[in-house]
Amino acid sequence: MDLQALLDDIARESAPYAAQGKVASYIPALAAVDPSRFGIALATMDGQLYGSGHWRESFSIQSVSKAFSLALVLARDGEALWQRVGREPSGSPFNSLVQLEYEKGIPRNPFINAGALILIDRLLSLTGDSLGTLLAFLRAESGTPAVAVDPDVAASEAAHGHRNAALAHFMASCGNLENPVDLVLDHYFRQCSLTMSCADLAKAGLFLANHGLRADGSRLLTRSEAKRINSIMLTCGTYDAAGDFAYRVGLPGKSGVGGGILAVLPERGVLCVWSPALDPHGNSVAGVEALDRFTTRTGWSVF
Ligand code: GLU
C-alpha cells in the first residue's frame, strides 16, 4: 500500500470538513488558531514516518496529554490508581461537576478533567514533578527536545480555570487529592498547554501500539497494562462521543480541544491528526473524518 499517497488523499478529502466545526473559544489563545490548518502523520512500528498537510507544525495538545499521564502513572503505581478513579465512560461533558458530587469525588474515568487531575496528583506524589516527568518522556519518545509548554496558553488556562479549580477543590474536600490544589492545577494547566506536532505525537505514542515497549526497547508498561490503556482510550478517549468515534473509526483514540487526535493501530503504528475546528463534543470534525477514511480504506481497525 502506498501510505504516503493515501495520507495525501485523506488530507485533501478531509480538510474541508473543518467548515462544519468551531475552534475552541474558552480561552483567547486557542480561539486565535487558524481553523484551516490540517495535518496527519503516521508513525509505523518499522520506524517509518509519513505525513501530509501541516503535520510538522506544533499545536496545543490539550487532553491528548492525558493518555500519556495515564501510562506514566500505571507504569509506576499499577492497579492502585483504580481506588481513586473509575474506568467507565461518563456520558457527561469532560468538565462536568454534577457527576462528581453524586459519586463522592471519584471521577468516572482518567480522561475527564477530574480524572486527569487525579493522574497529575498521583504523578506528583510519585515523582515530585508531574509535568517534568511527562515532558522528559515526550521528548525522549518523539526525539524532539523542543517539546515545551506554550506560556500564553498556560496563562490563559490558569486565568480561565475556575471550573477545573472547582473540580480539584471538590475532590480535595472528599479526601481524594494528595497534594495542594494549587500545585495540581498548575501542573494540569501547563500540561494542557504542551505544544507538539502530529509527527511528534505519533512517534511518542508508539509504545501503545507496541505492547508497552518504548522507542529504545525498554519496557514502560506490561503487555496487559498497554492493553488496558488502549481499552480506556476506546471507551472514554473522545469525550462523550466515544461510542460514535468507536463506530466510525474502530480504533482507540484520545482527542483534545486543540483539535488533535491520537489513534492507535495495535502492532502497526500510531496516527495523529490535527484540525482545530471541533464538533459540539470537543472532537476535531475533520480529524474524525480523516481517521474514519483511513480505517475504511486500509481495513486497519481493531475489529
Ligand atoms: N484545557 C481544557 C480544560 O481543562 C480542556 C482540555 C481538553 O479537554 O482538551 O478545560
Side-chain angles (χ1 to χ4, degrees), residues 23-83:
V23 170
S25 57
Y26 72 97
I27 52 172
L30 286 184
V33 176
D34 174 2
S36 70
R37 287 289 190 264
F38 180 95
I40 181 165
L42 170 66
T44 60
M45 299 288 292
D46 55 4
Q48 302 299 309
L49 187 63
Y50 306 88
S52 194
H54 302 102
W55 65 297
R56 292 210 182 263
E57 195 169 306
S58 290
F59 62 90
S60 186
I61 73 168
Q62 293 289 335
S63 286
V64 180
S65 65
K66 295 170 184 171
F68 296 98
S69 312
L70 176 59
L72 294 172
V73 171
L74 280 189
R76 286 169 175 76
D77 217 16
E79 295 286 300
L81 175 68
W82 307 119
Q83 303 300 313

Side-chain angles (χ1 to χ4, degrees), residues 26-27 30 60-66 94-95 111-113 117 153 157 160-161 163-164 167 188-189 191-193 239 254-260 278 281-282:
Y26 72 97
I27 52 172
L30 286 184
S60 186
I61 73 168
Q62 293 289 335
S63 286
V64 180
S65 65
K66 295 170 184 171
F94 63 95
N95 55 6
F111 291 154
I112 53 174
N113 286 11
L117 290 164
V153 176
E157 291 283 351
H160 296 82
R163 189 172 275 263
N164 288 314
L167 293 168
Y188 176 78
F189 294 141
Q191 169 169 332
C192 285
S193 310
Y239 304 113
K254 183 71 203 87
S255 56
V257 296
L278 309 176
H281 298 286

Side-chain angles (χ1 to χ4, degrees), residues 39-216:
I40 181 165
L42 170 66
T44 60
M45 299 288 292
D46 55 4
Q48 302 299 309
L49 187 63
Y50 306 88
S52 194
H54 302 102
W55 65 297
R56 292 210 182 263
E57 195 169 306
S58 290
F59 62 90
S60 186
I61 73 168
Q62 293 289 335
S63 286
V64 180
S65 65
K66 295 170 184 171
F68 296 98
S69 312
L70 176 59
L72 294 172
V73 171
L74 280 189
R76 286 169 175 76
D77 217 16
E79 295 286 300
L81 175 68
W82 307 119
Q83 303 300 313
R84 301 180 53 197
V85 59
R87 44 185 192 244
E88 289 294 339
S90 68
S92 307
F94 63 95
N95 55 6
S96 167
L97 289 154
V98 176
Q99 197 165 44
L100 194 61
E101 181 165 19
Y102 276 129
E103 299 183 358
K104 306 196 166 37
I106 306 288
R108 265 295 170 94
N109 68 64
F111 291 154
I112 53 174
N113 286 11
L117 290 164
I118 296 287
L119 294 176
I120 286 167
D121 181 49
R122 192 62 197 136
L123 203 52
L124 271 169
S125 299
L126 290 164
T127 66
D129 182 1
S130 171
L131 179 72
T133 304
L134 176 64
L135 257 177
F137 180 80
L138 293 173
R139 287 173 177 162
E141 298 307 291
S142 65
T144 304
V147 173
V149 170
D150 178 328
D152 293 339
V153 176
S156 226
E157 291 283 351
H160 296 82
H162 300 300
R163 189 172 275 263
N164 288 314
L167 293 168
H169 278 291
F170 185 75
M171 291 191 291
S173 81
C174 298
N176 197 14
L177 219 58
E178 295 167 345
N179 293 280
V181 164
D182 288 346
L183 183 66
V184 174
L185 287 172
D186 173 50
H187 282 251
Y188 176 78
F189 294 141
R190 286 188 292 146
Q191 169 169 332
C192 285
S193 310
L194 288 169
T195 63
M196 292 174 77
S197 67
C198 292
D200 294 335
L201 271 172
K203 284 192 279 180
L206 273 176
F207 70 99
L208 289 168
N210 198 15
H211 301 298
L213 289 182
R214 295 183 59 168
D216 64 2

